[in-house]
Amino acid sequence: MTRVTMFFEPLDVLLFRDHRPFDAGVHYVARGIFPLPSVMLGCLRTALFLQQGADFHDRPHFGIASAAVRTLLGNAERPGRLHLRGPLLARWTDTGVFPYFAPPKDLSFPEKKKTGTDREAEVPYELLRPLPSRADLATTWHFGGEASQPSRWRLPLSATPPDKHPEQVYLTRTGAARLLQDSAAGVLEKGDYVAERQLYQVESRTGIAREDTGAAQDHMLYTKLAYRLAERVGFAVDVEADGPVHDMLQGLQGKVVTLGGKGIGRWCGCWKGP
């Protein structure tokens, strides 16, 4: 059994809506999220089904004669034995696929000094921790109930004032490894992170919900936030593959596959991982 790293690069903007419904006057902004693992699994299964000549109107096995393929890909009721890990935001290069990791929620950047901080070099960071010197705040926080009831949890605090508007970053593999060392404070070096703006741009698109007659619905102006990924930036997934499955995956190299309900993704290549 080996692992194959697969890389998907979108051909257009990505819009996978979050869970919030539109509600006139309350919720009118649909924020985008990255594709979920179930979306990528569905994308890969569909591509492999089509590669094997599946007829989706033929139930229950979509006309697939091979028992091995049916076991791997499943059917309309069962997902099969195809497993993947991911997706991770990643960049495709001539030397391989390099993933990026969203920073943890307890990562804090100290407030910039008047001299400024060179974000292209080293960036000081701090991981929020319950501080002994501020234990009074951590143990007397109240949660809605009786005012005299102290909290049973120690709240994570910062030893220094945090940056109110830090630049959004993603961690490289080395940066993630640095934070996993559980150091309460340190410095992210240039190779430990990449600025969010270097990976994608967030685009705002406004629309109007319409009645069946074509007239605009009252108070139903809405905005959708989509991601436009930079060149060679996409999503990487790892797939467990033996010999036959590996050959099937190699057959998808360079192909255009469906990703989501209306979007299209592009297969850019794969390579064996350890």
Side-chain angles (χ1 to χ4, degrees):
M1 182 69 68
T2 60
R3 291 189 183 277
V4 173
T5 297
M6 308 173 64
F7 179 78
F8 297 83
E9 181 182 5
L11 294 178
D12 202 346
V13 296
L14 286 181
L15 179 59
F16 291 86
R17 277 187 52 186
D18 59 7
H19 64 282
R20 295 178 301 179
F22 289 129
D23 189 358
V26 181
H27 299 298
Y28 55 89
V29 176
R31 297 188 179 278
I33 59 176
F34 287 152
L36 299 175
S38 58
V39 173
M40 302 306 297
L41 180 60
C43 170
L44 183 56
R45 286 183 68 213
T46 301
L48 292 176
F49 268 127
L50 293 175
Q51 181 194 70
Q52 299 300 310
D55 179 4
F56 294 111
H57 297 287
D58 185 3
R59 301 297 181 93
H61 298 295
F62 305 135
I64 300 295
S66 171
V69 175
R70 293 203 303 263
T71 300
L72 174 69
L73 300 181
N75 51 39
E77 286 76 32
R78 295 191 178 96
R81 298 180 61 183
L82 185 67
H83 296 287
L84 58 81
R85 295 182 179 181
L88 287 176
L89 191 66
R91 185 185 298 275
W92 171 270
T93 72
D94 295 335
T95 58
V97 176
F98 294 89
Y100 298 105
F101 305 91
K105 296 299 184 182
D106 60 351
L107 181 63
S108 174
F109 296 105
E111 185 178 18
K112 296 179 182 179
K113 304 299 182 180
K114 293 183 178 180
T115 56
T117 300
D118 183 5
R119 287 274 168 157
E120 300 299 327
E122 296 182 347
V123 180
Y125 73 86
E126 177 186 0
L127 294 178
L128 302 182
R129 293 289 185 268
L131 303 179
S133 61
R134 304 295 298 276
D136 56 329
L137 293 179
T139 57
T140 59
W141 190 269
H142 305 292
F143 292 96
E146 297 180 4
S148 60
Q149 182 180 3
S151 169
R152 293 174 295 174
W153 302 279
R154 299 187 65 193
L155 301 179
L157 301 172
S158 174
T160 57
D163 189 348
K164 294 182 180 180
H165 303 286
E167 183 178 19
Q168 299 300 313
V169 300
Y170 277 82
L171 302 175
T172 63
R173 190 174 298 172
T174 57
R178 188 182 301 276
L179 291 185
L180 287 176
Q181 295 175 357
D182 198 27
S183 175
V187 173
L188 293 177
E189 300 178 357
K190 187 175 181 179
D192 293 337
Y193 70 96
V194 61
E196 177 187 68
R197 54 182 167 80
Q198 296 177 339
L199 300 177
Y200 59 81
Q201 299 292 329
V202 179
E203 296 186 356
S204 176
R205 299 186 175 188
T206 301
I208 299 176
R210 296 183 178 274
E211 304 282 1
D212 294 338
T213 60
Q217 295 183 14
D218 190 26
H219 301 297
M220 283 307 292
L221 182 70
Y222 61 88
T223 299
K224 298 182 293 186
L225 302 181
Y227 296 103
R228 183 176 294 277
L229 274 60
E231 184 178 4
R232 288 197 170 195
V233 174
F235 298 94
V237 298
D238 271 4
V239 184
E240 295 181 356
D242 55 16
V245 180
H246 183 269
D247 293 340
M248 293 169 61
L249 296 177
Q250 287 285 2
L252 294 178
Q253 187 166 349
K255 303 296 183 181
V256 175
V257 296
T258 56
L259 176 63
K262 297 181 180 179
I264 297 294
R266 181 175 64 195
W267 171 271
C268 291
C270 68
W271 53 281
K272 291 184 180 179

